[in-house]
Amino acid sequence: MTETATILTHVEDHVRAAFRKKASDQHLYHNLDHTIGVVEAVRLIGAGSGLPAEEQAIAEMAAWFHDLGFVDDGRGHEANSAQLAESFLQSHNYSESGIAQVRSLIMATKMPTNPQSLAEKVICDADMSHLGSKSFQEISHLLRIEMELVHGNIQTDAEWYRAQIGFMTRHQFYTDFAATSYRKRKKKNIVAVTDQLKAAEAEAATAKLKADQKEAKARLKEIKPDRGIETMFRLTSRNHMELSNMADNKANIMISINAIIISIIVSALVPKLDKNTFLIVPTFVLLMTSLLTIIFATMSTRPKVSGGTFTEEDLQQRRVNLLFFGNFYRMEFEDFHNAMQEMMEDRSFLYGTMVKDIYTLGKVLSRKYKLVRTAYNVFMMGLVLSVISFGMAFYVWSLNQPPVPGVVDL
């Protein structure tokens, strides 16, 4: 047994023990199982390629050591593995030339590979032999998880499958034996990954479509007023209209009552004033009370109409209330339609117009109720003053009357 064959057994025992000792839950691909698979592939490809026995043994040693230095994120692991191999082989007094060959073979597996000797081609093909194996999908899945755990390289399914296809189509086997043995299965694996890519892209497209639809619904919800906002505007407008109707009803009551009073005064009282001059002042007070009450009540119900037009600048500056007819009744329909369309497409403009409309209605209500209140106050105080005037007039009149014969003056 040659020196190389003798030490190969110690190399296997050492590497197996080293992997068990440093076993990591994150290194699901670069581990002992992968190493054993590469060693077996080296034996198969080396034998099939006619690699001499001595070189075959050295290639197997290199295969055992090629990933032993893979720690953390694996950067520069080939150099680490070569150093570990050199230290171990030196401790077993292995020849310097043999150590140099082992180091060279380990470094040959570094990506991108460019093997020169047959032994380098054998170990490079062995390292990538899983590309043409039936277990490619399982091994690829383990590699993907390891990259996510170790490198934090999280990819979508489509991205991963696309990268796999790119790598596999660029890859080539260097030995004729490996090319012949693995080519057919490798092509099947490429087709399988391509099918997975298509499925992943279709799924991603469907997910994107659903996401776009969800986003569109969210945007539509932002554009469309919320139910609470719609209810607030509806209730506020309705309350303002009811308050306006109440004010008009109160004003109509005042107008009706005082119109009746004026009619009675004019028809029944005024014709008798020439014979009852003492009633002129109280009658005038009552007449003026009713007249002023009617004036204020009428002013509260009198409509105020604006110019009926607005300018383009008013529209651009958002100064016009398109919900009030007084601002557009003289406009051409086309201009009004375009302005309304612009308002409906601009949520801020629409809300602003609705708020402005509510504010304007509030200002109108304020003026209306002030005038109605004034009408009621005038009527109340005027009525009291009229009653007092009539009382004083009759009192003064009674004092100026001559005594009635036969009646004792108390």
Side-chain angles (χ1 to χ4, degrees), residues 7-33:
I7 201 172
L8 184 57
T9 303
H10 298 294
V11 167
E12 179 178 350
D13 293 339
H14 171 73
V15 172
R16 286 179 180 273
F19 268 116
R20 293 192 188 98
K21 184 178 181 181
K22 71 165 192 174
S24 171
D25 294 336
Q26 293 184 335
H27 296 146
L28 302 179
Y29 174 78
H30 292 93
N31 53 24
L32 180 59
D33 291 335

Side-chain angles (χ1 to χ4, degrees), residues 263-324:
S263 298
I264 294 174
I265 292 173
V266 172
S267 61
L269 195 55
V270 171
K272 299 179 181 180
L273 291 179
D274 56 341
K275 297 179 180 180
N276 301 280
T277 56
F278 68 93
L279 293 177
I280 292 177
V281 173
T283 300
F284 177 77
V285 172
L286 181 58
L287 189 62
M288 290 304 299
T289 296
S290 296
L291 182 60
L292 288 174
T293 300
I294 290 176
I295 290 174
F296 282 112
T298 303
M299 289 176 62
S300 70
T301 59
R302 183 178 63 178
K304 180 181 179 181
V305 181
S306 304
T309 60
F310 57 86
T311 64
E312 183 67 24
E313 183 181 357
D314 293 333
L315 180 63
Q316 295 300 324
Q317 297 296 326
R318 308 295 194 250
R319 292 196 298 257
V320 61
N321 178 10
L322 297 176
L323 301 181
F324 177 55

Side-chain angles (χ1 to χ4, degrees), residues 82-354:
Q83 183 60 46
L84 291 173
E86 181 178 356
S87 299
F88 177 82
L89 294 175
Q90 285 178 344
S91 66
H92 285 71
N93 299 317
Y94 191 59
S95 66
E96 291 298 327
S97 61
I99 294 175
Q101 291 181 64
V102 171
R103 288 184 60 93
S104 177
L105 291 174
I106 293 175
M107 296 305 297
T109 62
K110 184 176 182 180
M111 295 291 180
T113 57
N114 185 26
Q116 300 300 316
S117 65
L118 178 60
E120 291 178 353
K121 292 178 181 180
V122 168
I123 194 171
C124 287
D125 285 349
D127 197 22
M128 292 291 113
S129 61
H130 67 280
L131 298 180
S133 68
K134 294 181 179 180
S135 58
F136 167 76
Q137 294 287 357
E138 294 79 4
I139 295 174
S140 176
H141 181 65
L142 294 175
L143 177 60
R144 180 180 181 181
I145 297 176
E146 178 179 303
M147 292 179 66
E148 291 178 355
L149 294 175
V150 177
H151 299 275
N153 184 15
I154 300 177
Q155 297 176 306
T156 64
D157 289 343
E159 291 172 340
W160 173 254
Y161 295 140
R162 198 175 292 115
Q164 287 289 290
I165 293 172
F167 179 79
M168 294 174 73
T169 52
R170 290 191 303 270
H171 170 267
Q172 62 173 338
F173 287 109
Y174 298 104
T175 62
D176 294 336
F177 178 83
T180 302
S181 301
Y182 300 118
R183 182 185 296 115
K184 186 175 180 179
R185 174 55 62 178
K186 178 183 175 183
K187 288 183 178 179
K188 289 184 179 180
N189 290 335
I190 293 176
V191 172
V193 177
T194 302
D195 291 340
Q196 290 175 320
L197 174 61
K198 292 178 180 178
E201 288 177 338
E203 184 179 352
T206 302
K208 185 177 184 302
L209 179 60
K210 291 181 179 180
D212 291 342
Q213 292 175 344
K214 185 176 181 180
E215 184 180 354
K217 289 181 180 179
R219 287 199 302 266
L220 181 61
K221 186 176 180 180
E222 291 179 359
I223 296 173
K224 183 180 178 181
D226 293 333
R227 185 182 299 273
I229 298 176
E230 291 179 342
T231 303
M232 182 270 292
F233 280 119
R234 183 169 57 252
L235 290 178
T236 304
S237 297
R238 186 176 66 187
N239 291 340
H240 281 190
M241 295 305 299
E242 290 179 355
L243 289 172
S244 180
N245 291 334
M246 289 173 58
D248 291 341
N249 291 335
K250 292 178 183 295
N252 289 332
I253 292 173
M254 285 290 98
I255 293 173
S256 300
I257 291 175
N258 286 278
I260 295 173
I261 293 175
I262 291 176
S263 298
I264 294 174
I265 292 173
V266 172
S267 61
L269 195 55
V270 171
K272 299 179 181 180
L273 291 179
D274 56 341
K275 297 179 180 180
N276 301 280
T277 56
F278 68 93
L279 293 177
I280 292 177
V281 173
T283 300
F284 177 77
V285 172
L286 181 58
L287 189 62
M288 290 304 299
T289 296
S290 296
L291 182 60
L292 288 174
T293 300
I294 290 176
I295 290 174
F296 282 112
T298 303
M299 289 176 62
S300 70
T301 59
R302 183 178 63 178
K304 180 181 179 181
V305 181
S306 304
T309 60
F310 57 86
T311 64
E312 183 67 24
E313 183 181 357
D314 293 333
L315 180 63
Q316 295 300 324
Q317 297 296 326
R318 308 295 194 250
R319 292 196 298 257
V320 61
N321 178 10
L322 297 176
L323 301 181
F324 177 55
F325 78 96
N327 291 330
F328 60 78
Y329 71 94
R330 289 185 178 178
M331 299 288 296
E332 294 294 332
F333 172 74
E334 191 66 27
D335 296 334
F336 173 69
H337 176 270
N338 293 336
M340 286 292 290
Q341 193 69 30
E342 181 176 344
M343 181 185 71
M344 289 186 292
E345 292 175 356
D346 187 341
R347 186 183 184 192
S348 177
F349 187 15
L350 175 62
Y351 279 5
T353 301
M354 296 175 74

